[in-house]
């Protein structure tokens, strides 16, 4: 059963499905001044997926997409309802399964090289949680450019409120990826802080929020980018 039955969705989750578009625009054709913010929510992938979000903007509209990585064992141990969402995410290319955490990190680095380092963007900012996976930031920076540490927890509330406002106004658009939608719906706010809907710590319970946290990190970085003028 869906534990959200009866309500409890945040304003961001309530408006999320109103912003689905068929295809994200080819922003590389808009010139060299666009900024791509790549948010990472690192994990071993053994329970929660390792999540990456790509966020950019054209005019007043923002566009976000998710790519997530999970160990096969994490898939097998997930509750049936979550496996159904994982299956839908695998079918649309949002989620991929891997043997172990080493293979997941290799896939993350490959994705970063192919999709998150695109030269036709004016600039690319990469970063996110720097404490979620031991040594990831250092390994990332040895391979790519700087990894911007984005403080998690209550400090992301401003980004959450900004995302809710953009979504409610129809300006935070996406293609309806099933796992990212699930992540968004699993966020709740208590006493001015973000929490998982099931009340558990990261890596425990059915409420997966990895893509949402990566997305909020992306938005925090995009807001702080030198070209920010909204």
């Amino acid at each position: 059963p869906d534990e959200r039955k009866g309500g409890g969705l945040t304003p961001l989750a309530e408006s999320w499905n109103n912003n689905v578009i068929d295809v994200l625009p080819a922003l590389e054709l808009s010139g060299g001044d666009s900024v791509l913010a790549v948010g990472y929510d690192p994990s071993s992938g053994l329970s929660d997926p390792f999540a990456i979000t790509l966020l950019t903007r054209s005019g007043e509209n923002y566009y976000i997409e998710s790519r997530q990585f999970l160990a096969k064992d994490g898939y097998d141990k997930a509750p049936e309802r979550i496996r159904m969402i994982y299956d839908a995410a695998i079918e649309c290319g949002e989620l991929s399964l891997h043997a172990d955490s080493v293979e997941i990190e290799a896939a993350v680095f490959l994705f970063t090289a192919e999709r998150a380092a695109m030269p036709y963007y004016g600039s690319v900012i990469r970063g996110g949680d720097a404490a979620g996976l031991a040594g990831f930031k250092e390994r990332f920076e040895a391979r790519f450019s700087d990894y911007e540490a984005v403080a998690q927890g209550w400090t992301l509330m401003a980004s959450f409120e900004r995302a809710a406002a953009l979504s409610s106004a129809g300006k935070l658009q996406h293609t309806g990826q099933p796992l990212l939608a699930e992540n968004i719906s699993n966020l709740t706010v208590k006493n001015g802080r973000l929490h998982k809907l099931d009340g558990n710590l990261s890596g425990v319970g059915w409420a997966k929020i990895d893509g949402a946290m990566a997305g909020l990190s992306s938005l925090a970085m995009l807001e702080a980018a030198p070209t920010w003028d909204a």
Side-chain angles (χ1 to χ4, degrees):
D2 189 341
E3 290 81 353
R4 288 181 300 274
K5 187 175 182 181
L9 295 178
T10 65
L12 175 59
E14 287 178 343
S15 60
W16 187 255
N17 289 333
N18 298 331
N19 294 293
V20 176
I21 57 178
D22 291 334
V23 180
L24 296 180
L27 296 179
E28 67 273 16
L29 301 180
S30 65
D33 59 350
S34 57
V35 178
L36 174 67
V38 188
Y40 295 80
D41 191 66
S43 80
S44 66
L46 302 179
S47 176
D48 291 349
F50 187 125
I52 304 175
T53 54
L54 308 179
L55 178 70
T56 192
R57 182 184 60 164
S58 179
E60 294 185 348
N61 291 325
Y62 296 70
Y63 304 97
I64 188 168
E65 63 176 297
S66 155
R67 183 72 168 84
Q68 303 195 35
F69 309 81
L70 180 68
K72 294 176 182 176
D73 188 56
Y75 172 89
D76 292 337
K77 291 180 178 178
E80 181 179 359
R81 189 183 76 83
I82 304 303
R83 286 201 305 273
M84 292 175 63
I85 295 169
Y86 286 161
D87 288 342
I90 291 169
E91 184 175 355
C92 74
E94 180 187 10
L95 176 70
S96 57
L97 300 182
H98 304 271
D100 52 33
S101 58
V102 173
E103 187 175 301
I104 286 173
E105 189 162 299
V108 165
F109 285 165
L110 179 62
F111 178 84
T112 298
E114 292 180 345
R115 289 292 315 281
M118 295 182 277
Y120 41 68
Y121 284 92
S123 61
V124 178
I125 311 165
R126 307 183 192 90
D129 186 1
L133 181 62
F136 174 76
K137 180 178 184 293
E138 292 73 21
R139 293 190 296 274
F140 184 96
E141 290 182 330
R143 179 81 176 267
F144 302 102
S145 61
D146 290 345
Y147 181 95
E148 182 173 331
V150 179
Q152 306 292 293
W154 67 268
T155 54
L156 280 184
M157 271 303 300
S159 295
F160 176 80
E161 292 169 354
R162 173 69 169 158
L166 288 169
S167 183
S168 296
K171 296 179 180 179
L172 181 56
Q173 300 183 345
H174 54 90
T175 58
Q177 292 175 303
L179 188 50
L180 181 58
E182 172 74 5
N183 297 157
I184 294 293
S185 68
N186 284 336
L187 270 182
T188 189
V189 178
K190 296 179 181 178
N191 300 319
R193 297 190 63 168
L194 296 169
H195 293 271
K196 292 175 56 183
L197 196 60
D198 61 11
N200 287 311
L201 298 175
S202 178
V204 180
W206 54 264
K208 307 302 182 184
I209 63 172
D210 314 280
M213 298 306 287
L216 293 178
S217 291
S218 293
L219 185 55
M221 291 186 293
L222 191 59
E223 286 179 323
T227 55
W228 175 259
D229 57 11

